[in-house]
Amino acid sequence: MAMRPILSSVTLVALILTFLFVGCAKEEPPPPTTEAPPRPAAPPPPPPAPPAPAPGPSISQQAFQEFQNQDVNFDFDKYDLRPDARTILDRKVAFLNQNSSVRTQIEGHCDERGTNEYNMALGERRANAAKQYLTTAGISAGRLSTISYGEERPLDPGHTEAAWARNRRAHFVVTGQ
């Protein structure tokens, strides 16, 4: 009988040693890979803004530039057309009559004074005043579109009366021919 407790003790010690060596075995780390993980693709850059169409063969470069670069200016907090604005718009009517395929967008702009909401509405009224003058003079409304930028795109970033006066305007952009 004395042999039985010794045999049990030896068996118990063998089992404990087995669990110690087998249970605590360390896992081998995976071998290093030579390939770098794939990088996520960068999003494509946004497409560039389309340039203004070049003048067609019947439009002189100078007339095209004058049409786009001569703005109609407004008084502070107003959208009615001044006499100098009507003179400029008469030249724009002549240009559009001579170039019947030209389409244009009229942008309404404001100075930085006033709330964004107010200036967006005022810019829209300025663009519509210029459009109304052109359509009354016989230009098809289908060739004209309007947009208001309010105070968001100043021509002059200054904070003076002169800068604000330059920013109160309707600007004309040829959008197609």
Side-chain angles (χ1 to χ4, degrees):
M1 290 247 174
M3 193 69 147
R4 198 169 199 189
I6 293 176
L7 189 56
S8 293
S9 295
V10 171
T11 307
L12 183 62
V13 169
L15 280 173
I16 290 174
L17 289 174
T18 304
F19 284 122
L20 264 174
F21 290 114
V22 174
C24 292
K26 292 185 178 179
E27 288 185 26
E28 293 277 332
T33 60
T34 57
E35 280 186 41
R39 288 183 171 170
S58 64
I59 304 173
S60 77
Q61 188 68 28
Q62 180 181 358
F64 182 80
Q65 291 300 319
E66 283 178 14
F67 179 82
Q68 288 201 132
N69 293 332
Q70 193 163 27
D71 292 340
V72 171
N73 293 99
F74 295 88
D75 290 328
F76 174 70
D77 203 27
K78 303 279 187 206
Y79 61 94
D80 53 322
L81 298 171
R82 304 184 313 206
D84 63 320
R86 292 175 190 276
T87 302
I88 293 168
L89 288 171
D90 286 337
R91 287 195 295 264
K92 292 188 183 296
V93 167
F95 174 87
L96 291 169
N97 280 332
Q98 292 170 357
N99 302 284
S100 60
S101 63
V102 169
R103 293 186 312 273
T104 189
Q105 182 175 60
I106 306 168
E107 301 174 346
H109 297 270
C110 300
D111 62 35
E112 65 187 354
R113 297 174 290 181
T115 66
N116 285 337
E117 295 82 15
Y118 181 82
N119 285 335
M120 289 298 285
L122 181 57
E124 183 177 356
R125 289 191 297 271
R126 288 174 174 168
N128 284 331
K131 179 180 179 180
Q132 180 64 41
Y133 188 90
L134 297 176
T135 56
T136 300
I139 304 301
S140 168
R143 295 172 57 196
L144 307 171
S145 62
T146 61
I147 190 168
S148 174
Y149 289 114
E151 63 189 71
E152 300 303 316
R153 294 186 177 183
L155 181 65
D156 186 332
H159 306 287
T160 64
E161 283 296 329
W164 293 331
R166 282 189 290 279
N167 291 333
R168 297 187 302 261
R169 70 195 191 283
H171 179 72
F172 295 77
V173 178
V174 172
T175 58
Q177 295 186 55

